[in-house]
């Protein structure tokens, strides 16, 4: 049912509230106090971003959006700002931050690839967005990019800051979860999913951990798939001790 916004009781799974919005609704988020929700309604010729008290149904903010495809929405931890992103790129605006009270644009990111996810840091000072095979951290108040997290070989699917903001986690279509130092962009740890039949993004059945120094560990099945090369010879990890150690 694309034309209805529904609120559910997470404990019971029962529907608590619903709103008929007449057109397709997408990308909802709660304010930190849990009293209000923000969502995008995609109409034929005009899109709207709405903030509503879900208990009373009262609309607190309605913002007319340009006619584009909207891919993500996030509310700042203090509830004062809303960030949303579009699937357009190049010279179009791809990420915007507005005041949740007035709807005024306070930050607009242009000239980037399409943005599929957008996240505030816990302190609300930074934004995390995807940029094809990388992710970027922005100080949206100053308009400056803090760092670009590069290392994935396929598009980044999602990302999130740690509670203290020191670290960032990204997932990618390359089957690797990476942990980064936010400020420097240094890659600290990689979790490589080698169970290609399992696309569960929680914890794969077989995986390898690799740290920033190149040290690794993982499940036994995953380690058994590793090998060394010595010229044209391929040496399985289980054979390496007998053939290479002296």
């Amino acid at each position: 049912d694309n034309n209805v916004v529904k609120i559910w009781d997470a404990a019971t799974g029962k529907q608590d509230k619903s709103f008929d919005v007449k057109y397709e609704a997408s990308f909802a988020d709660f304010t930190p106090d849990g009293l209000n929700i923000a969502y995008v309604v995609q109409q034929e010729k005009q899109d709207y971003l709405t903030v509503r008290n879900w208990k009373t149904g009262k609309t607190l903010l309605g913002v007319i959006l340009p006619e584009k495809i909207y891919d993500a929405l996030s509310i700042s931890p203090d509830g004062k700002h809303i960030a949303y992103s579009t699937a357009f790129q190049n010279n179009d605006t791809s990420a915007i931050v507005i005041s949740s009270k007035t709807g005024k644009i306070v930050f607009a990111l242009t000239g980037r690839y399409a943005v599929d996810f957008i996240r505030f840091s816990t302190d609300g000072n930074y934004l995390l967005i995807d940029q094809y095979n990388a992710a970027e951290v922005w100080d949206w108040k100053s308009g400056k990019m803090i760092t670009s997290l590069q290392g994935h070989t396929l598009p980044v699917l999602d990302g999130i800051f740690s509670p203290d903001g020191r670290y960032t986690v990204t997932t990618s279509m390359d089957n690797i979860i990476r942990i980064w130092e936010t400020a420097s962009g240094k890659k600290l740890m990689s979790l490589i999913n080698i169970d290609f039949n399992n696309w569960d993004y929680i914890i794969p059945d077989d995986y390898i951990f690799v740290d920033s120094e190149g040290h690794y560990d993982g499940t036994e099945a995953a380690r058994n798939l590793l090998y060394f090369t010595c010229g044209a010879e391929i040496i399985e990890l289980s054979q390496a001790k007998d053939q290479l150690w002296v």
Side-chain angles (χ1 to χ4, degrees):
D1 193 345
N2 291 330
N3 300 335
V4 178
V5 175
K6 297 181 179 180
I7 311 296
W8 302 85
D9 186 317
T12 65
K14 294 182 179 180
Q15 181 179 310
D16 195 308
K17 204 84 170 181
S18 66
F19 305 100
D20 186 355
V21 294
K22 298 182 180 180
Y23 294 91
E24 182 177 351
S26 56
F27 312 115
D29 196 7
F30 278 98
T31 53
D33 58 15
L35 299 178
N36 306 315
I37 56 173
Y39 56 89
V40 173
V41 175
Q42 298 176 324
Q43 299 187 11
E44 295 178 359
K45 295 183 179 181
Q46 193 69 68
D47 295 346
Y48 295 86
L49 188 153
T50 300
V51 179
R52 168 179 276 175
N53 183 305
W54 68 270
K55 292 187 177 181
T56 65
K58 181 180 179 180
T59 298
L60 305 176
L61 178 69
V63 179
I64 298 175
L65 303 176
E67 187 181 357
K68 296 182 179 180
I69 301 174
Y70 295 90
D71 267 6
L73 181 149
S74 181
I75 298 177
S76 64
D78 61 8
K80 294 181 179 180
H81 297 93
I82 301 173
Y84 60 91
S85 65
T86 77
F88 282 69
Q89 58 187 44
N90 298 326
N91 293 323
D92 284 319
T93 302
S94 52
I96 292 175
V97 179
I98 65 171
S99 165
S100 60
K101 289 187 177 181
T102 66
K104 180 181 178 181
I105 295 176
V106 295
F107 172 73
L109 183 61
T110 60
R112 318 300 291 175
Y113 287 110
V115 173
D116 291 320
F117 74 82
I118 190 166
R119 299 278 188 275
F120 279 101
S121 58
T122 306
D123 60 11
N125 291 329
Y126 303 107
L127 283 177
L128 177 65
I129 65 170
D130 64 298
Q131 282 295 279
Y132 196 58
N133 290 358
E136 293 179 352
V137 179
W138 285 80
D139 181 336
W140 63 270
K141 294 179 181 179
S142 68
K144 296 181 179 180
M145 185 174 71
I146 301 301
T147 187
S148 178
L149 309 176
Q150 300 190 30
H152 287 291
T153 58
L154 289 173
V156 175
L157 297 172
D158 206 349
I160 194 169
F161 292 103
S162 64
D164 60 7
R166 294 178 58 194
Y167 309 105
T168 304
V169 178
T170 56
T171 65
S172 169
M173 291 180 66
D174 63 10
N175 249 31
I176 300 176
I177 298 172
R178 298 191 188 278
I179 301 175
W180 315 80
E181 186 176 64
T182 302
S184 68
K186 181 181 179 181
K187 182 171 58 180
L188 301 178
M189 185 73 73
S190 299
L191 187 153
I192 305 171
N193 178 11
I194 64 166
D195 182 7
F196 296 107
N197 294 319
N198 181 1
W199 285 87
D200 186 344
Y201 288 108
I202 301 175
I203 290 294
D205 291 337
D206 291 307
Y207 55 87
I208 293 290
F209 275 114
V210 184
D211 67 16
S212 59
E213 304 297 326
H215 304 134
Y216 71 89
D217 197 0
T219 62
E220 181 177 358
R223 295 196 305 271
N224 288 339
L225 292 178
L226 297 180
Y227 59 87
F228 293 94
T229 60
C230 184
E233 185 179 8
I234 296 176
I235 305 171
E236 293 182 1
L237 191 62
S238 59
Q239 301 172 323
K241 181 177 179 180
D242 295 332
Q243 296 196 33
L244 298 180
W245 288 14
V246 293

